[in-house]
């Protein structure tokens, strides 16, 4: 065994001992009916007949893949239509499609920000935002979760060519919405650019599904860049960046994550257009989802389950100990229920949690079964352990 292999074995063993080892749950034909509260298909569009039909029709016409990058023959009329419809939907000048949300954030941050700039990041931002700023070589100043006093102080004390405030719209691990009105005010007061990754907000929040900015009824043009993904409320895959025409053009000319990546399949782009139409026309999906969220929260409160504050489909129950978190997750799986088991290093130490994602296809009966199972396990493994201490 080489030194490299031995060092990797040691690291893997250590992660296992700490209860932080990750594994994948295999979805098969036999168990795909299991009650899942793990996926991000908030509006139930991944299995919508119209979305599937659009994909099948265009896959038969264009083929399964795009077979090239967008600049070398992989840019189809379906991509152009989706970009135009997204820009119109959001009220921004232009949109650009990417193959994944991670690649979109890396491309934006490494293209538009450089070593003469300073980026101000919420400490709990998504890994793609953290990595993108790191690779940009910009000065980085991170502020404690939604600590606006700390943020303003750091902005006021910083002299840089360009200042960027970078935040998620809805924080993916806690489910809370960023304080965008205050961030908009700071951006305007100190001449900062504002990037909002609204992957979990677009489609879900706002009267028309335009996301966190619409939720607060703010002017979207005050945001420099809005990033969104198709793998959540849209029910497909891929991502987009929307904003000022010049910024989007710069991404096309200089964004390595755009230039050197195979384009999203045109069939996916066309199916996403159908999802966008449904997001705009079927408001009942957001209304039903909000009802389900409130129903879950009220009953969780009645059962003394201490959820983190959230008005979104992401509902979080902090366990703390990663081994207990993994144990409860496995016991829920035995009951036929899947929930997210999130542990460090994805999140800070001692905040291991169950991440529960609600979607419009869940019924009240589904939620009741989940709550009953959670309550039983909470009393057995968390309250009982606390009483022993």
């Amino acid at each position: 065994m080489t030194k490299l292999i031995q060092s990797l074995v040691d690291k893997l063993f250590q992660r296992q001992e700490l209860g932080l080892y990750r594994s994948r749950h295999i979805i098969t034909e036999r168990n795909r009916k299991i009650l899942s509260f793990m996926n991000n298909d908030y509006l139930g569009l991944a299995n919508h007949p119209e979305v599937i039909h659009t994909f099948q029709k265009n896959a038969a016409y264009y083929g399964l893949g795009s077979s090239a990058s967008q600049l070398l023959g992989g840019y189809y009329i379906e991509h152009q239509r989706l970009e135009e419809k997204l820009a119109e939907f959001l009220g921004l000048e232009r949109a650009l499609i990417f193959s994944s949300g991670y690649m979109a954030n890396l491309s934006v941050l490494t293209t538009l920000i450089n070593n003469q700039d300073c980026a101000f990041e919420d400490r709990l931002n998504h890994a793609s935002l953290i990595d993108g700023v790191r690779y940009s070589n910009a000065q980085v100043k991170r502020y404690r979760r939604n600590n606006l006093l700390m943020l303003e102080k750091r902005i006021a004390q910083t002299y840089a060519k360009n200042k960027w405030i970078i935040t998620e719209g809805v924080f993916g691990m806690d489910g809370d919405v960023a304080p965008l009105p205050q961030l908009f005010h700071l951006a305007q007061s100190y001449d900062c650019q504002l990037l909002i990754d609204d992957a979990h907000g677009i489609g879900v929040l706002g009267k028309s599904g335009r996301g966190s900015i619409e939720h607060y009824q703010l002017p979207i043009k005050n945001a420099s860049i809005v990033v969104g993904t198709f793998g959540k409320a849209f029910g497909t895959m891929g991502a987009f960046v929307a904003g000022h025409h010049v910024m989007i053009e710069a991404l096309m000319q200089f964004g390595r994550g755009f230039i050197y990546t195979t384009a999203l399949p045109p069939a996916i782009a066309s199916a996403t257009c159908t999802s966008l139409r449904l997001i705009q026309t079927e408001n009942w999906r957001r209304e039903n989802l909000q009802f389900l969220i409130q129903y879950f929260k009220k009953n969780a409160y009645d059962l003394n389950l201490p959820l983190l504050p959230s008005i979104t489909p992401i509902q979080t129950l902090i366990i703390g100990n990663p081994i207990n978190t993994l144990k409860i997750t496995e016991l829920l799986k035995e009951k036929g229920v899947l929930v997210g088991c999130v542990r460090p290093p994805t999140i800070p130490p001692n905040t291991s949690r169950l991440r529960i994602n609600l979607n419009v296809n869940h019924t009240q009966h589904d939620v009741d079964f989940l709550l009953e199972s959670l309550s039983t396990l909470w009393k057995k493994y968390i309250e009982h352990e606390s009483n022993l201490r």
Side-chain angles (χ1 to χ4, degrees), residues 221-238:
K221 291 187 178 180
N222 287 1
S224 306
I225 287 287
V226 175
V227 179
T229 57
F230 303 136
K232 298 175 177 64
F234 285 82
T236 59
M237 67 171 291

Side-chain angles (χ1 to χ4, degrees), residues 283-294:
N283 292 330
W284 63 265
R285 292 180 181 274
R286 278 181 294 282
E287 293 167 3
N288 286 9
L289 183 59
Q290 277 302 318
F291 169 79
L292 207 62
I293 292 166
Q294 296 306 318

Side-chain angles (χ1 to χ4, degrees), residues 139-169:
Q139 183 182 2
V140 185
K141 296 194 176 183
R142 299 174 74 184
Y143 57 95
R144 286 194 297 272
R145 183 54 169 280
N146 292 337
N147 189 325
L148 300 174
L149 289 176
M150 176 187 284
L151 172 60
E152 182 170 13
K153 183 178 179 181
R154 292 190 169 182
I155 293 173
Q157 293 175 343
T158 300
Y159 297 92
K161 185 176 180 180
N162 297 296
K163 300 178 183 181
W164 284 79
I165 299 173
I166 299 167
T167 185
E168 292 187 63

Side-chain angles (χ1 to χ4, degrees), residues 92 184 187-188 192-194 213 218-225:
L92 291 168
F184 269 56
Q188 289 182 310
C192 297
Q193 305 298 320
L194 178 61
I213 297 175
L218 296 167
I220 194 166
K221 291 187 178 180
N222 287 1
S224 306
I225 287 287

